Amino acid sequence: MRLPIFTISLLLLVSVCRVQACGGLFRIDPKDHYLFYLGYPEEKYTEWKARTEKEFRAENIDYWHKYVNKKVSAKDVEEAIYSGQLPSSQYKFFNYLIENNDTLALKYWSIVNAPDNYSWNTSEWYYPTSKESHPESSSFVSNKLNINTVAQCNDKGLRDRFAFQLIRRAFHTASFKLCIDAWEKYGSAIPESALRTQCQSYYAGALYYTQREAEASVAFAEVGYFEQWLHYDIDVLRQVYRNQPNCPSMEFIVQQIVNAYFDKCNARDLGMAGWVTTMKKKNEFDALANEVLADGKTNNPALWKSAQAAMEYIGGNKSIALKLINEASKMKGTDAVKENVRLMRTVFLAADNTTGKAYEKALLPDLKWLAEKVKSDSYYCVEHYMCFENFEGLEQFRMKVFKRVVLVEIVSHFEKLGQPERCLAYLNMFAEATGNKHTVEIKPLPKDADPMAWGAFMDISSGEYYYHEGYRTDYGTRFFVYADTARPETLKKYMAFINTKGKSDMDKFLLSNGYKDLDFCNELLGTKYIRMAQWDSAIAYLSKVPDKFLMTQNIVEFLPQRNPFREEWITNYRQGHYDLPILPAELYAEEPTKLNFCRIMKQLQDYTQSSDPTVRDNARYAYAVAMYQMTQLQAWPLTRYCYGVVNTLPDLYYEADMKTTHMQARELADKIISSSSDRNLTDKAFLLKYILLWPEAEYIFSYKFYNDWDHWQLTDKKRDRYYQLCVNALVKEWCSHNKTTLPDGYIYLTFCDTEQDHQ
């Protein structure tokens, strides 16, 4: 027996691609972003190394230029001392020393440039391990360069340089005790200079390798050194402050202590003991900060006060934090600290829910300042909701703060007040400040691009997934995400707002720094009404959108390729055949636009009320097919702006609308089955019901645990079982309706290899 549309088979495999989000599609987690930033270790170390090397070279040339009473030019001095050659008359500087019989200086340069086995690593910045001591180099140090060599030098400047070479050579040969002794006896007497900085950095390294880590950290900090040897501990900070109240590394140590507190407070497994220890360290820091501020010795008091403010905010004491940060903003501080104070104050003001109507007035100056900073940064990043950053650097940190201020604090504030349209105004300003682009040059798809391919989507990608060389990013911002998923009333209120000149100063700032395009809003609102199947409203708004604007959307490439009235699940020559006064598939093919689709759907909706049973039931079927396909892969450009494996607005966001449209499609299929005598049409209706089963199973199970992978796996089995049961029930319903029975062992429904058996 041949079944006209269906065969019952165990071979059914429904291939459905599910979009798995990577998390964080719209909001950002404040726990992922530090509040306190004055520089990363790598930045500070690179800066320190470059600065000290440059200073040392300039200082070294200047010293030797003066040493020879400027009888030799600075250029000739530089050429000789950085030649790496032993003293000889071919260099004017060395020749001067030879002519004046300066044996001590000649001995010094013979030691510095000696071709010995020290050459295994000549970088003065290389830190060896204790296993890398070389006997030959150690011998060189003991025989040619030792404490006595330094002691015999009467010239203070030359003695300092002999001391430097001894400290340096001792360190590089892992003679750490000699390195420490040389520093303590001679190096520590060197006046503040690049030479002293380099000597002390070697001394600090020697302390580190002799397990005197706390002392090493203090020494490293005092020279402004930033690397893995610098420990970020309150005891170290205390000692550094007492030795050198304005130590260059103070900012960085304070930053690391504050951020360590941030990490501890946000740790899931901290436990009671861990919490007690964390609070104890916080109190210790508070006590030290109060001591520093009371002493009046620091020229950077804003650093300490702002660190206290950050810790209070992290601990949840937001009102105290705001009070402290306002105090810090009036104190002296370095440029980096002053900027960090203002960045934190912007966050604190945005999170302050106690000011009522004064909220925006208090926030405006700092928000304007931050927006301008982000705009002017050389770091450029189009704000895109698929963008996952792992940035380091001041410009990137400003962007993180800007995101936290707008996406977390401001949006949450106005959502609590029930003003989502205000959220849209801020998000629009945010998108513009972060590089949103609105112009596009439409170009054809590459010849090898499949216009029907899963994953082909419009102009929202920040990377390799867009087809156009010039592309607009209007459909890739968080403003778009919020607008596309908001209620129609919210978008209408926002459209009314951008048509005004603004009442408050904040209104004027948002309007002058936002992108006002009613065509964009009308098209978005019309699309929203398509998803809601409100055709009159959709037609009203889409009619306002000019063709010129529509041609800037990349979906224009895909709309002609995806006909919503042609069933993708049956053979091509049978697709889109309806016994109706109109030909929906052909009408859409003539003008593949959203507006024309709405007009066709409105006609079909009217035909579903026809007194002619044939017209009525065929209209029901065509309408149901389009209702399903406009939310799925076959005709996604009608209701979405992206779709595919990189889809960042997956079904979860459209779930309510999709459930409604699919429910209507299922209800219409049931009406056809119950009222039509056309076996071909009722079989198609059964097939449509079958097609709808998988999305239903997805809704019931998968999306409930959208961001939890463990629950994804757990519910997959339940979903699959539910789907099997539904398929079996549908097969039995079909058999009952057609008064037929199933062959033994068959439990799945299929459609005969894309319905090729249907003649």
Side-chain angles (χ1 to χ4, degrees), residues 96-235:
Y96 179 88
L97 297 178
I98 293 169
E99 289 179 352
N100 287 274
N101 197 30
D102 193 336
T103 56
L104 203 56
L106 289 169
K107 180 179 181 181
Y108 175 80
W109 282 109
S110 296
I111 290 173
V112 172
N113 293 334
D116 65 340
N117 286 310
Y118 172 68
S119 60
W120 56 273
N121 196 311
T122 56
S123 169
E124 66 263 36
W125 304 104
Y126 181 73
Y127 276 30
T129 67
S130 57
K131 295 180 180 179
E132 292 176 325
S133 176
H134 284 242
E136 297 86 347
S137 295
S138 298
S139 174
F140 179 90
V141 169
S142 61
N143 294 333
K144 297 183 180 180
L145 182 62
N146 50 49
I147 291 289
N148 292 330
T149 310
V150 180
Q152 292 168 3
C153 187
N154 293 322
D155 183 274
K156 178 66 170 64
L158 198 53
R159 183 168 64 247
D160 290 345
R161 275 158 176 73
F162 270 110
F164 167 63
Q165 291 300 332
L166 178 60
I167 291 169
R168 179 190 185 201
R169 292 290 181 119
F171 183 86
H172 277 285
T173 56
S175 303
F176 299 128
K177 185 178 184 305
L178 175 59
C179 180
I180 294 169
D181 291 343
W183 163 262
E184 292 175 347
K185 190 167 184 178
Y186 295 106
S188 58
I190 299 174
E192 288 298 328
S193 60
L195 183 67
R196 178 188 172 92
T197 295
Q198 290 203 347
C199 287
Q200 192 170 359
S201 67
Y202 289 124
Y203 163 68
L207 290 173
Y208 179 84
Y209 279 122
T210 51
Q211 288 73 53
R212 296 162 65 179
E213 294 183 3
E215 295 174 80
S217 292
V218 173
F220 278 130
E222 288 177 351
V223 297
Y225 185 87
F226 301 86
E227 251 291 358
Q228 63 264 37
W229 292 282
L230 183 57
H231 288 235
Y232 321 120
D233 185 83
I234 293 173
D235 290 334

Side-chain angles (χ1 to χ4, degrees), residues 457-468:
F457 63 101
M458 67 171 304
D459 47 12
I460 67 170
S461 175
S462 61
E464 59 185 319
Y465 297 107
Y466 65 87
Y467 282 134
H468 295 172

Side-chain angles (χ1 to χ4, degrees), residues 36 38 234 236-242 244-247 250-251 253-254 257-258 284-294 297-311 324-325 328 331-333 337 341 344:
F36 205 87
L38 299 170
I234 293 173
V236 170
L237 180 61
R238 184 182 293 108
Q239 190 173 344
V240 171
Y241 169 73
R242 289 172 181 169
Q244 193 177 340
N246 295 301
C247 167
M250 199 81 75
E251 290 182 2
I253 301 175
V254 170
I257 289 173
V258 172
E284 287 179 8
F285 179 83
D286 268 340
L288 177 59
N290 290 333
E291 176 189 331
V292 171
L293 292 168
K297 296 177 182 179
T298 178
N299 57 15
N300 200 5
L303 168 69
W304 299 89
K305 185 63 75 172
S306 62
Q308 288 181 306
M311 285 185 164
L324 292 173
I325 205 67
M331 294 178 171
K332 291 194 304 180
V337 169
V341 166
M344 283 200 294

Side-chain angles (χ1 to χ4, degrees), residues 435-502:
N436 193 18
K437 296 192 295 185
H438 311 288
T439 57
V440 61
E441 179 184 355
I442 292 295
K443 297 184 178 183
L445 292 173
K447 293 181 180 180
D448 58 348
D450 179 3
M452 299 292 284
W454 179 272
F457 63 101
M458 67 171 304
D459 47 12
I460 67 170
S461 175
S462 61
E464 59 185 319
Y465 297 107
Y466 65 87
Y467 282 134
H468 295 172
E469 293 178 13
Y471 66 102
R472 62 188 295 162
T473 57
D474 292 318
Y475 298 90
T477 66
R478 288 169 172 85
F479 165 72
F480 162 74
V481 175
Y482 201 94
D484 194 35
T485 56
R487 296 177 180 275
E489 293 73 20
T490 298
L491 194 53
K492 290 176 185 177
K493 289 180 181 178
Y494 169 75
M495 292 166 68
F497 170 70
I498 63 175
N499 265 331
T500 69
K501 294 183 178 180

